[in-house]
Amino acid sequence: MVRQPSGGGAAAAPALGGEEPATGTGQHRQCQARGMEAACAQEPGGGGGCNCCNSGSSRPRCRLPWARSIAGTKKKFACPGLGLFYTLLSAFLFSVASLFLKKIENVHSVEISAFRCVFQMAFVLPGLIYYKTGFLGPKDKRIFLFLRGVLGSGAMILLYYAFQVMPLADATVITFSSPVFTSLLAWIFLKEKYSLWDLLFTLFTITGVVLIARPPFLFGSNIAGIEGSYTNHLKGTIAAVTSAVSSASTFVILRKMGKSVHYFLSIWYYAVIGLIECIVALFIIDEWTLPYCGIDRFLLILIGLLGLGGQIFLTKALQIEKAGPVAIMKTMDVVFAFILQILFLNHLPTWWTVGGALCVVASSSGTAIRKWQQNSKKAKENEI
């Protein structure tokens, strides 16, 4: 049996990726790892040494496949905190896009969603061609891709509507409850564990949403700190909650598919189905109108670019950082929403909104921390 190096790559090759300096006796470097010596001894005609040790050369030329991989490996130094920085940048881009959406006048949220879908299609199409993923995906995954497109784009449309009819911070806080709903849906459809802590976080989230919505039968008819009529505020609250549930459903579907489907293909379904939904909805409600001024058209372009940029940075963050820290850092979405609302919209949030935000953020962060701890515990058990 071939014994593997017990000390890992660093123990077998102290100078990875570079030349080994000559020793003080003038001899070339021998196979110092015990695993390499044992493997070399079993080579045909190898009387206890490999080609690199018997050739008399001053450079090791071990032809064993795993030894070549060790010798050719280079250390990669990851930048600490880069994934969290990407998450922070993603949160900022999404928040600025939401602010621009509030600034656009006389353009329906469905039409704005259609513009964003067009931008996503234009940028994702070259990636599909480059990676040769196709446009439909594996046959056994198409139904999941279709549902991901319907629910994901529906969540975007509802979120944009909520941004238009209610304060920016209120809508952001409610949609931030998505991780709590993800745990609940994963328990129902994926049979994942749902503990008493998850139930407590769900109740906290509902409490936060109630504090933001402030229904009249609990808070009376005179409600301060809302934009426009309470009817629109209530519609926006319902749209934001439905958007959060739809986003949670999308996460469950993506978890069901796993890594068998390329990320670009998932976005492609999201954009194409979303554009079809928007076109059908615009014909039904008869709201298709181009912006009246150049500033609004420019803001539409920026919304598409910022939304795409935020999605790219969030994806990069999840590729190089654990999901737990990324989910916690995403709480900056709420912070940015409050700051932008105060600075550029001249709308001070009420204490009810602040209290609701604390409930929702605490619940989402608690859910993320628990999932992070559970995954870390499983990883350690697998190592043992």
Side-chain angles (χ1 to χ4, degrees), residues 284-297:
I284 293 176
I285 63 179
D286 194 21
E287 287 284 350
W288 181 267
T289 56
L290 286 175
Y292 295 114
C293 65
I295 295 179
D296 285 350
R297 298 177 185 179

Side-chain angles (χ1 to χ4, degrees), residues 127-138 262 264-265:
L128 293 178
I129 297 173
Y130 177 79
Y131 289 105
K132 299 179 181 179
T133 61
F135 296 94
L136 297 178
H262 197 279
F264 276 143
L265 190 60

Side-chain angles (χ1 to χ4, degrees), residues 57 63 115 125 132 144 198 227 255 305 322 342:
S57 170
R63 292 185 174 87
F115 274 99
L125 183 60
K132 299 179 181 179
F144 296 112
D198 294 316
E227 293 180 358
R255 191 177 299 176
L305 293 176
K322 293 182 179 180
I342 295 171

Side-chain angles (χ1 to χ4, degrees), residues 130-166:
Y130 177 79
Y131 289 105
K132 299 179 181 179
T133 61
F135 296 94
L136 297 178
K139 290 185 178 180
D140 59 333
K141 302 295 181 181
R142 290 176 186 174
I143 182 63
F144 296 112
L145 287 168
F146 175 79
L147 291 174
R148 183 264 185 273
V150 172
L151 294 171
S153 57
M156 174 187 62
I157 296 171
L158 291 170
L159 176 61
Y160 281 7
Y161 175 76
F163 281 145
Q164 283 191 331
V165 299
M166 66 187 305

